[in-house]
Amino acid sequence: MALVTSKEMFAKAIEKDYAVGAFNVNNMEIIQGIMDAAKEENAPLILQVSAGARKYAKPVYLLKLVEAAIEDTGLDVCLHLDHGEDFDICKSCVDGGFTSVMVDGSKHPFEENIALTKQVVEYAHDHGVVVEAELGKLAGVEDNIKVDARSATFTDPDEAAEFVERTGVDSLAIAIGTSHGAYKFKGEPYLDFERLKEIHKLIPNTPLVLHGASTVLPEFVDRCNQYGGEIPGAQGVPEDMIRESTKWGICKVNIDTDLRLAMTAEIRRILVESPAEFDPRKYLGPARDAIHRMVQHKIKNVLNASNKR
Ligand code: G3H
Ligand code: 13P
Ligand code: ZN
């Protein structure tokens, strides 16, 4: 039981067509809910932290919470920086005990993305830390971009092969139609599987990462709507599309929105049904249980990662 890199997890996942869940964390209840689910499913696990989450919880609290969870469950965990936008934050996480960092240079032109990624890879590898990079842009429907304009931002397979070769990166996040948040598609959900297959064919040994992979489970959206402000028109990535993607090199599936929805739905329900309640344990405890159930469902039924530890 220790903090580990994702190297071994991905080597197994790519061979056996399943994916490791990478769940965003920022507090104790979220970490506990996820860890308990992974323990019950005997599954490999990545806990990831955005720059915003790291600032919110303070770096030392997050690290100590994850260390405590490892001690409590006896699981190995990969602790990953999500969307590191420059060298400094990646370096700070490498120095601060993370075992994996993402350098997200996707907003930069190709050559600049390569230069930034190479700089991070060099530093991280020198310190035994693995690196995820991103090529292509995830566009949200809220950006109001038409479908053909959206696909112009998808990852180019030849560029992906050149990028991996020139940077030495350990895994690559690609854009094939997903986006962050609760509003991913306006009409029918669409992922460019032909593009994914082409990328996987050119770089079959590179673990690919699917960002924006929340399903936006109707159960939680309905409950949020029932007990408070509406989340109308929310639309996630269907579970069968996530399952399909794991056949074509997707080894890491990023989930944040589904955690937020599961937690919020439960807290709203309790505070509406019991408005006199003011003990945080009475709503954070059930919220932790909701996260536990949701993550267990993902690991077992969507990622096919049960008993893959
Ligand atoms: O990809 C973004 C993650 O959902 C993290 O979001 O920056 O609001 O923590 P955040
Ligand atoms: P979701 O918003 O779909 O959960 O995506 C999370 C993500 O990609 C974190 O990097
Ligand atoms: Zn992301």
Side-chain angles (χ1 to χ4, degrees), residues 24 50 53 82-83 180 256 260:
N24 286 70
S50 69
D82 193 26
H83 294 283
H180 292 111
D256 188 2
R260 296 179 184 201

Side-chain angles (χ1 to χ4, degrees), residues 4-305:
V4 297
T5 74
S6 50
K7 228 180 174 62
E8 220 177 288
M9 296 181 190
F10 289 162
K12 289 190 200 162
I14 207 162
E15 199 189 314
K16 295 265 162 60
D17 293 351
Y18 65 89
V20 181
F23 299 94
N24 286 70
V25 299
N26 57 57
N27 75 8
M28 183 187 79
E29 284 80 6
I30 298 174
I31 292 173
Q32 288 178 338
I34 297 165
M35 289 290 284
D36 290 345
K39 185 179 167 78
E40 262 179 58
E41 289 308 311
N42 195 26
L45 180 65
I46 298 171
L47 294 180
Q48 59 189 10
V49 179
S50 69
R54 192 164 170 260
K55 195 167 163 207
Y56 169 80
K58 295 189 181 177
V60 67
Y61 282 83
L62 273 175
L63 186 66
K64 299 288 178 197
L65 280 171
V66 172
E67 283 172 356
I70 289 172
E71 192 178 321
D72 179 47
T73 58
L75 291 182
D76 286 342
V77 169
C78 171
L79 180 59
H80 174 76
L81 167 68
D82 193 26
H83 294 283
E85 64 167 15
D86 55 33
F87 176 77
D88 288 347
I89 182 146
C90 293
K91 179 180 183 300
S92 168
C93 288
V94 169
D95 296 345
F98 283 53
T99 49
S100 175
V101 292
M102 174 188 192
V103 51
D104 182 357
S106 61
K107 66 175 184 221
H108 298 299
F110 187 64
E111 288 299 330
E112 281 172 39
N113 189 355
I114 287 191
L116 173 63
T117 301
K118 271 175 86 167
Q119 190 189 9
V120 172
V121 166
E122 197 172 309
Y123 187 80
H125 283 185
D126 270 355
H127 293 77
V129 170
V130 291
V131 180
E132 170 187 330
E134 178 163 331
L135 190 63
K137 288 191 188 73
L138 269 68
V141 288
E142 70 276 14
D143 296 344
N144 229 352
I145 296 169
K146 291 207 184 78
V147 172
D148 45 347
R150 237 184 138 190
S151 64
T153 64
F154 289 179
T155 309
D156 178 84
D158 293 319
E159 281 190 358
E162 183 183 341
F163 187 91
V164 168
E165 165 76 26
R166 286 176 58 193
T167 58
V169 78
D170 300 280
S171 60
L172 185 68
I174 51 158
I176 56 167
T178 60
S179 55
H180 292 111
Y183 302 94
K184 299 181 191 298
F185 307 102
K186 252 182 195 147
E188 279 298 294
Y190 166 77
L191 295 192
D192 191 342
F193 281 106
E194 290 316 307
R195 186 179 296 267
L196 175 62
K197 289 176 192 173
E198 187 61 24
I199 296 169
H200 183 49
K201 199 168 93 189
L202 292 175
I203 42 175
N205 300 318
T206 300
L208 303 176
V209 180
L210 195 62
H211 281 248
S214 278
T215 302
V216 187
L217 292 154
E219 175 194 345
F220 301 123
V221 175
D222 291 350
R223 203 169 305 147
C224 281
N225 290 344
Q226 185 185 346
Y227 289 104
E230 289 245 326
I231 312 182
Q235 166 101 276
V237 186
E239 291 182 342
D240 57 350
M241 287 193 178
I242 304 286
R243 275 184 217 107
E244 177 71 12
S245 73
T246 65
K247 295 185 195 155
W248 311 104
I250 295 293
C251 292
K252 175 173 178 271
V253 168
N254 281 14
I255 294 161
D256 188 2
T257 298
D258 280 336
L259 294 163
R260 296 179 184 201
L261 287 170
M263 188 162 205
T264 304
E266 196 57 356
I267 293 173
R268 277 191 189 178
R269 183 185 67 74
I270 291 166
L271 293 182
V272 169
E273 286 181 352
S274 312
E277 184 56 70
F278 60 89
D279 180 345
R281 293 169 297 183
K282 294 284 168 36
Y283 49 86
L284 292 178
R288 175 176 61 192
D289 295 342
I291 284 178
H292 180 152
R293 287 193 298 277
M294 187 276 288
V295 170
Q296 192 160 6
H297 162 71
K298 299 255 180 211
I299 290 173
K300 205 165 151 178
N301 305 320
V302 184
L303 306 176
N304 190 24

